[in-house]
């Protein structure tokens, strides 16, 4: 009888892992390094004394360098092997940012202006950064979050808006007759612009099709909306993990509802005063 063949490493063929798909490490490809969980966009791929490496940049601008090893990265939840691109990607003409604006090649971030954009929570800030981050850095406008709108009048008073120091505010569920609408009316002025979208939570501003669901579910008002949404979609009731999944599906303005797009563009135009440094 002939023995069953083994590989050079003496591992039985039926015990070997199937090779992961090879994906070129093209610039701006967003991946997660499997060992550390570091998530970022590819900045460059280069040869070093230790072999080929890839540099990733996270949403805060932090860079990390990782070796190109088999099964070393996750792409949309699946294990992949990043490989060196065969040739540099041809530049798009014209280049576009995630918001659809014309990209400014090699542009440096402007020093932060005095004007600011406030949003209600962390998820709102992360979504704005993901789509409009390039535009905001060009304009030098910083986005901060409020942790809710109830204290907005005191926050506006402390900010002291005025000529050359404008404040824009994005509010969830800004509908006539609501508490949010009444608070917004109290602070709106020549140097303060409060705009809003009709959604209960910023999650709903992401198109359901982009997330892979037919629609955002209806949740009773006496139930936490995020937790209720997770339950009705059959997701674990883990809102940070759910939001991480939702945000990963947003690649550009095309993944967002128009009711949010227009409001954020309005705030950027309002706070990015011409000639303001």
């Amino acid at each position: 009888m002939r023995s069953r063949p083994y590989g050079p490493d003496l591992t039985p063929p039926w015990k070997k892992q199937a090779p992961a798909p090879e994906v070129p490490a093209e610039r701006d490809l967003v991946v997660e390094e499997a060992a550390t969980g570091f998530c970022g966009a590819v900045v460059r791929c280069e040869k070093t004394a230790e072999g080929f490496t890839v540099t990733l940049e996270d949403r805060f601008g932090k860079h990390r360098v990782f070796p190109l090893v088999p099964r070393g990265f996750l792409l949309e939840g699946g294990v992949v092997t990043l490989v060196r691109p065969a040739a540099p990607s041809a530049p798009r003409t014209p280049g576009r940012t995630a918001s659809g604006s014309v990209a400014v090649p090699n542009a440096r971030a402007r020093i932060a202006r005095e004007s600011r954009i406030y949003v209600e929570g962390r998820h709102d800030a992360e979504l704005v950064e993901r789509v409009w981050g390039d535009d905001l850095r060009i304009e030098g406008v910083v986005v901060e979050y409020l942790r809710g709108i109830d204290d907005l009048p005191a926050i506006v008073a402390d900010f002291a808006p005025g000529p050359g120091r404008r404040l824009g505010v994005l509010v969830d569920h800004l509908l006539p007759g609501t508490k949010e609408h009444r608070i917004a009316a109290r602070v709106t002025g020549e140097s303060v612009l409060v705009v809003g979208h009709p959604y209960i939570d910023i999650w709903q501003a992401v198109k359901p099709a982009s997330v892979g669901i037919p629609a955002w579910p209806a949740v009773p008002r006496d139930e936490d909306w995020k937790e209720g949404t997770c339950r009705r979609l059959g997701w674990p009731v883990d809102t940070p993990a759910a939001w991480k999944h939702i945000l990963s599906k947003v690649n550009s303005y095309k993944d967002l509802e128009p009711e949010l797009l227009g409001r954020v563009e309005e705030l950027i135009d309002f706070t990015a005063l011409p000639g303001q440094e």
Side-chain angles (χ1 to χ4, degrees):
M1 293 180 61
R2 304 178 90 184
S3 61
R4 186 169 295 184
Y6 284 73
D9 61 358
L10 300 183
T11 302
W14 60 91
K15 288 189 177 181
K16 290 184 178 180
Q17 287 184 315
E22 292 188 349
V23 177
E26 301 282 2
R27 186 176 178 85
D28 295 333
L29 177 72
V30 178
V31 295
E32 179 180 339
E33 202 277 327
T36 64
F38 185 89
C39 184
V42 172
V43 175
R44 59 182 170 272
C45 184
E46 57 192 349
K47 186 177 182 179
T48 67
E50 291 76 28
F52 286 107
T53 63
V54 63
T55 301
L56 303 182
E57 179 183 39
D58 70 8
R59 62 189 181 84
F60 301 107
K62 182 179 179 181
H63 285 199
R64 291 278 298 275
V65 180
F66 300 100
L68 289 183
V69 297
R71 305 179 64 85
F73 297 86
L74 301 177
L75 176 62
E76 297 184 352
V79 177
V80 298
T81 296
L82 286 189
V83 296
R84 188 185 184 194
S89 299
R92 291 173 293 178
T93 306
R96 296 282 173 176
T97 67
S99 70
S101 301
V102 176
V104 181
N106 304 316
R108 293 189 175 185
R110 184 191 294 266
I111 295 174
R113 304 176 189 237
E114 289 191 66
S115 297
R116 291 288 186 273
I117 293 176
Y118 284 173
V119 297
E120 285 204 54
R122 177 179 174 182
H123 293 179
D124 307 67
E126 290 176 343
L127 186 61
V128 170
E129 164 61 27
R130 189 170 185 91
V131 176
W132 289 274
D134 290 338
D135 308 66
L136 291 166
R137 280 183 281 278
I138 290 292
E139 299 295 347
V141 177
V142 175
V143 174
E144 301 178 5
Y145 59 92
L146 303 169
R147 298 182 183 275
I149 194 177
D150 290 347
D151 296 328
L152 183 58
I155 291 170
V156 172
D158 184 63
F159 181 81
R165 183 178 171 81
R166 289 183 172 183
L167 180 62
V169 184
L170 179 68
V171 179
D172 296 343
H173 203 231
L174 189 61
L175 299 174
T178 62
K179 174 190 70 174
E180 291 82 2
H181 194 269
R182 291 191 293 271
I183 293 174
R186 289 173 56 189
V187 301
T188 298
E190 185 176 345
S191 299
V192 179
L193 174 65
V194 181
V195 300
H197 55 75
Y199 307 112
I200 296 172
D201 189 272
I202 197 68
W203 290 18
Q204 288 183 308
V206 180
K207 291 180 178 178
S210 296
V211 186
I213 59 176
W216 291 106
V219 178
R221 297 185 63 177
D222 59 353
E223 184 178 356
D224 181 90
W225 189 86
K226 290 186 175 75
E227 293 183 358
T229 294
C230 290
R231 292 188 187 97
R232 285 160 180 80
L233 292 176
W235 297 350
V237 183
D238 182 343
T239 55
W243 173 243
K244 183 178 180 181
H245 168 71
I246 295 166
L247 189 61
S248 73
K249 302 301 182 182
V250 178
N251 297 305
S252 75
Y253 71 97
K254 297 178 182 179
D255 296 306
L256 302 181
E257 299 287 0
E259 289 83 355
L260 176 67
L261 295 175
R263 303 293 74 74
V264 176
E265 297 286 352
E266 190 177 353
L267 290 178
I268 294 175
D269 290 343
F270 179 77
T271 52
L273 293 170
Q276 182 188 3
E277 299 294 339

